[in-house]
Amino acid sequence: MNTQPVTITFDGRPLTAAAGQSVGAALASQGITAWRGTRKGRKPRGLFCGIGICFDCLVTVDGEANQRACLVEVCEGMEVEGS
Amino acid sequence: MSSTVTVDVAVVGAGPAGLAAAVAAAEAGARVAVVDAGSQPGGQFWRHPAETVEPEPDGHGHHGWNSYLDLRARFDAAQRAGRITYLPGLQVWMAERSEDGFVLRTTAAVGSAHPLTVMAARLVLCPGGYDRQLPVPGWDLPGVMAAGGIQAFIKANGVLPGKRFVIAGTGPFLLPVAAGVAEAGGKVLAVLESSSPSAWLPHLRAASGVPEKALEGAEYAAVFARHRIPYRTRSIVTGVLGSGKAEGVRTARVDADGRVRPGTGRVYADVDVVGFGWGFTPQMELPVSLGVETRLDADGSLVGVVDERQQSSVPGLFLAGEVTGVGGATLAVLEGLAAGAAAARPDSDVPVKQPAAIARHRRFARAMHLAHPVPAAWQDWLTPDTTVCRCEEVTAGDITEARENLGARDVRSLKSFTRAGMGWCQGRVCGFAAACLGAGPGEAPDAGSLAGSAKRPLAAPVGIGELAGLDS
């Protein structure tokens, strides 16, 4: 596979990901398992269903809120923020 | 303003059933549009790395890859010939009947691309399904994933979401998930199956009708042996342990009804991913919103009723794949071919191809469901503070209280009293469990309660601007 690296930022920190990976995969493969706190209990959440059903993995991508990390593909310079 | 595509046949979904339906309809002469949430064809079953990075995936770890390649070649040819309009990256958020057939309103699955409306004389719904979940204490910790989500992660990304895995639940699907983890270099500490192999004994005749499943089983057995993966039957995860993320699991042995056998508890430490799968839930919101007749399948799921040509109770609306009963990709392809051909020529009396194969696969699926039931006693595994609805953080205690004190026994009443199922996922994850809890300990939900869960005013979250655009 042609895995040329791309660089994204997560909460301002640079991360290296493989082209074609999802944002969720880029985070999880760096050991980042949670990037959102629940509204009531502020409980940590990350990937769960992995296929766009559960909305647990929501992130802000390039300023656009509520994007599913399991569906969004990384691209060079992408800015990802948790909440 | 949204632009409009008008065709003879619209197909929703580009997995095994949707690809087959689109190809069959196009080859029968129809103009076809295919709407799919994915960014490339294949669905969940044939999910593969981004074709922009890996243009010719080798199908490693896939079953039926030759079937995919055949359908894909025909799909691409029909696209080049202008008979299929492929609309990836779009989710249908509303489907309606019109004088001329059906209207689908779509929204971008990722980002905010221009919305699109599809109008079609006939409609084939192939939305597939997703892992069915039963809550247990700790299942909301990061690191806990749907078993299918782990598999999708590996298929799409070529890497693992962690290092040390426990896979639990019921059904043959746990085997390819665990095998996929091991083949990708992960450590599978155990696969826990709540049922027992003896549960298959009454169904051997149905199983022998689909011998390729036995071959698949033998492949997994070889992978399990090579990687020394323990396969523990009549065993469950009673709780996920960890602070801020999954770090271990507590397990126990259960009897045939799923009641925990005292003194059988053990702990697996140093776990970073726990995968759960309790069969599948068909994605029923579009069929339900269009008013199709439904029934309960052998696995307790709500599914659509279809005739031998895959037509639902709504004329011109065809269903194929998991929404007619969870049965796997081979059956989904056969149903998709039948549905697509019938949707292209609704008045034709050409008989359905391979009706015997469809019947054999349905018998096998029924046997599988009966051998791998949701354990009757699963509600006993919960504590009052176990989260059931992950989105709205509603606990088992909240739901039990609404049932006992407020008489909320179906999903819709539970939703209004507790907010279970009112969050982002609209009850897709907790709907089955909430319906069970509403029915009460040891009880399974009826079709009415499950239909209440699948009834969603919007089939996907949508922007206010797109709603406002509906006035036209």
Side-chain angles (χ1 to χ4, degrees), chain A residues 2 38 41 48-49 56 67-68, chain B residues 53 91 111 146 149 157 390 393:
Chain A
N2 170 18
T38 59
F48 178 66
C49 81
D56 251 2
Q67 299 297 303
R68 288 165 280 183
Chain B
V53 176
Q91 285 178 291
N157 298 291
R390 302 166 63 96
E393 298 169 80

Side-chain angles (χ1 to χ4, degrees), chain A residues 1-4 19-22 24-26 28-29 33-34 36 38-56 58 64 66-68 70-73, chain B residues 44 47 49-50 52-54 91 109-112 129-130 133 139-140 142 144-146 148-149 152-153 156-161 244-245 283 387 390-393 424-425 428-429 461:
Chain A
M1 198 196 298
N2 170 18
T3 49
Q4 63 187 62
Q21 273 188 338
S22 70
S29 57
T33 55
R36 185 175 78 84
T38 59
R39 208 168 59 231
K40 276 156 76 181
R42 294 305 300 168
K43 290 187 182 162
R45 292 285 172 85
L47 290 174
F48 178 66
C49 81
I51 60 169
I53 297 292
C54 76
F55 294 82
D56 251 2
L58 294 178
E64 189 144 13
N66 301 325
Q67 299 297 303
R68 288 165 280 183
C70 67
L71 298 186
V72 180
E73 204 176 300
Chain B
Q44 303 308 335
R47 183 186 274 260
T52 47
V53 176
E54 195 173 339
Q91 285 178 291
V110 169
S112 54
Y130 46 85
Q133 294 297 336
W139 78 307
D140 51 340
V144 177
M145 291 181 71
F153 188 102
N157 298 291
V159 293
L160 288 164
K245 60 178 183 177
Q283 192 122 257
T387 299
R390 302 166 63 96
C391 300
E392 293 295 311
E393 298 169 80
W424 271 100
C425 92
R428 286 178 179 84
V429 177

Side-chain angles (χ1 to χ4, degrees), chain B residues 128-185:
Chain B
Y130 46 85
D131 299 85
R132 181 160 61 184
Q133 294 297 336
L134 300 178
V136 286
W139 78 307
D140 51 340
L141 287 167
V144 177
M145 291 181 71
I150 295 172
Q151 190 186 54
F153 188 102
I154 300 170
K155 283 181 180 177
N157 298 291
V159 293
L160 288 164
K163 296 187 175 69
R164 292 167 61 84
F165 294 70
V166 169
I167 309 294
T170 193
F173 181 62
L174 303 180
L175 305 178
V177 173
V181 168
E183 296 285 74

